[in-house]
Amino acid sequence: MTVSRTVELEGHIIDSGTMGECFGIVMDMGGEFEVEEFEVGRHKHAETYCRMRVLADTEETLRTIVHELNQQGATVADPRDATLEAAPEDQVVPVDFYSTTNHPTYVRVEGRWVEVEDIEMDCALVVEPSGEGGDDPRVFTKVLNAVEEGDLVVTGETGIRVEPPERPRNGSGSFGFMQGGVSSERPSASLIEEIADEMREVRKGEGTVLVVCGPAIVHSGGRDALAELVGAGYVDALSAGNGFAVHDLERDLYGTSLGVDTESLEHPRKGHKHHIYTISEIVRVGGIAEAVEAGIVDEGVMYECVRNDVPYVLAGSIRDDGPLPDTITDAIEAQNAIREQAHEADLVLMLSTLLHSVAVGNCLPSTTKTVCVDINPATVTQLLDRGSAQAIGLVTDIGTFIPMLRDELLA
């Protein structure tokens, strides 16, 4: 081993398994480690400190190992500021730029640790130095397509500190009623009560509940219950795709969803054309808000959003019919709109949509409480695997979950 770097770990690194995970990373990636200092916390709230030297055959291997350790909360033991390099062109970052996690992150700038604003995963870190007027330096994330020529981009791992959420000693996850991860079961009254309590707390603190919706909410019979929650003020923002809005509006105009009567489950004549008829009627008047004002739409989730000034983002996709005038068809514009919603959210409910759950999850910091509900286990596990480790996954019927949540909140 010819090159080395010293890193430090601090916190409840034994309880959370962080220390063992870091040891494993070094060995799995072909390196070695030497523990130089180890101080174990000796009571419940005491933190543990570990200083270790990481060795590798090449500088490239060492950088890769240190980067992975940094993602787990290890900090390079170096008093120097972070390394900055100017972006050479718009949308072009330096070769060794630091790619972010969604965990709280701090960057050492001008001799002090500065918290990164609006942290999210898979972004570059851009530094704005202190101004002549004495303004403090700022560090914020930028997606690659937003990087501008001359932006001071953080490179390497020096001067970067990541703080992954630690698992509490009692083993509970983001909420007391679950351990985190995935639970495959019918939602019990106790689970619903815990989620409802979180929503009440957010509302009491004037925070924001963001609901991410898939069309299955309408197909499975959860639409009316969700509309009631919007109308009662328990939903502060909504993120969905063209399909959800179309089927919600179709249910109002024709009593069907994808051409199927959601009450009788019968297929009315020409029912398969109802969704395209719905799009045509909304386009004819200019949009969803115009349809509500004209009295064409008088119930449902989108109706309640318009009537209660609940902002919504409808992000389009290549497979959309129409789409509706309200749907954002530019992918970058849609990402930015979703990003604004995610940064404002205090609690996120992801309801039966893989595409939009992952899209919103990518923009969320790991400190935002997130509940993902879907009948398909792949939706929940993919969200967790993608990096939204703070999410609680519940594999269950959305048509059962939302009415139970409604009953708990509005009883």
Side-chain angles (χ1 to χ4, degrees), residues 28 59 108 144 203 233 273:
D28 291 344
E59 184 64 33
R108 188 178 171 88
L144 299 192
R203 187 184 191 188
K273 298 183 179 182

Side-chain angles (χ1 to χ4, degrees), residues 213 215 238-249 275 278-280 282-283 286-290 302 306 312-335 337-338 355-356:
C213 303
L238 184 141
S239 181
N242 184 71
F244 170 79
V246 170
H247 295 309
D248 174 66
L249 297 165
H275 78 286
T278 297
I279 294 169
S280 176
I282 302 302
V283 170
I288 297 173
E290 290 81 357
M302 302 312 300
V306 172
Y312 55 85
V313 170
L314 302 180
S317 72
I318 194 67
R319 58 194 178 178
D320 286 339
D321 291 320
L324 294 167
D326 303 77
T327 300
I328 302 173
T329 56
D330 183 289
I332 301 302
E333 183 183 347
Q335 284 180 8
I338 289 171
L355 180 67
H356 293 277

Side-chain angles (χ1 to χ4, degrees), residues 157-409:
E157 263 66 44
T158 299
I160 301 169
R161 188 173 76 228
V162 176
E163 296 184 353
E166 294 180 337
R167 184 178 64 204
R169 292 182 62 90
N170 61 12
S172 61
S174 297
F175 300 95
F177 62 90
M178 276 181 163
Q179 300 294 316
V182 181
S183 172
S184 182
E185 59 178 288
R186 184 178 184 276
S188 67
S190 61
L191 298 181
I192 297 297
E193 184 178 352
E194 291 283 355
I195 296 173
D197 285 343
E198 290 291 338
M199 294 178 70
R200 293 188 188 101
E201 284 299 312
V202 171
R203 187 184 191 188
K204 182 179 178 181
E206 298 184 352
T208 298
V209 174
L210 170 62
V211 174
V212 185
C213 303
I217 292 173
V218 183
H219 311 333
S220 64
R223 174 245 197 189
D224 292 344
L226 181 58
E228 289 184 57
L229 291 176
V230 175
Y234 283 101
V235 176
D236 303 290
L238 184 141
S239 181
N242 184 71
F244 170 79
V246 170
H247 295 309
D248 174 66
L249 297 165
E250 177 192 339
R251 177 70 176 81
D252 183 26
L253 297 180
Y254 297 99
T256 59
S257 176
L258 277 179
V260 178
D261 189 307
T262 55
E263 299 295 334
S264 66
L265 301 183
E266 295 178 351
H267 293 69
R269 186 171 179 271
K270 293 188 177 182
H272 62 287
K273 298 183 179 182
H274 286 173
H275 78 286
I276 203 69
Y277 289 165
T278 297
I279 294 169
S280 176
E281 290 305 305
I282 302 302
V283 170
R284 194 186 316 280
V285 295
I288 297 173
E290 290 81 357
V292 171
E293 294 304 318
I296 295 172
V297 173
D298 59 10
E299 66 174 22
V301 178
M302 302 312 300
Y303 169 84
E304 293 293 347
C305 285
V306 172
R307 282 301 187 202
N308 293 279
D309 294 321
V310 173
Y312 55 85
V313 170
L314 302 180
S317 72
I318 194 67
R319 58 194 178 178
D320 286 339
D321 291 320
L324 294 167
D326 303 77
T327 300
I328 302 173
T329 56
D330 183 289
I332 301 302
E333 183 183 347
Q335 284 180 8
N336 289 335
I338 289 171
R339 185 167 286 111
E340 289 184 19
Q341 285 187 316
H343 290 169
E344 293 294 323
D346 298 289
L347 173 64
V348 181
L349 300 183
M350 299 177 172
L351 307 177
S352 203
T353 169
L354 172 59
L355 180 67
H356 293 277
S357 292
V358 172
V360 174
N362 287 351
C363 301
L364 292 173
S366 62
T367 51
T368 302
K369 290 183 177 180
T370 305
V371 179
C372 180
V373 184
D374 203 298
I375 196 67
N376 183 2
T379 299
V380 179
T381 54
Q382 185 165 334
L383 177 68
L384 297 175
D385 292 344
R386 183 66 183 82
S388 300
Q390 81 278 19
I392 291 169
L394 186 60
V395 180
T396 193
D397 175 33
I398 199 68
T400 302
F401 175 84
I402 300 178
M404 290 180 68
L405 181 63
R406 182 268 320 272
D407 292 344
E408 175 63 34
L409 285 168

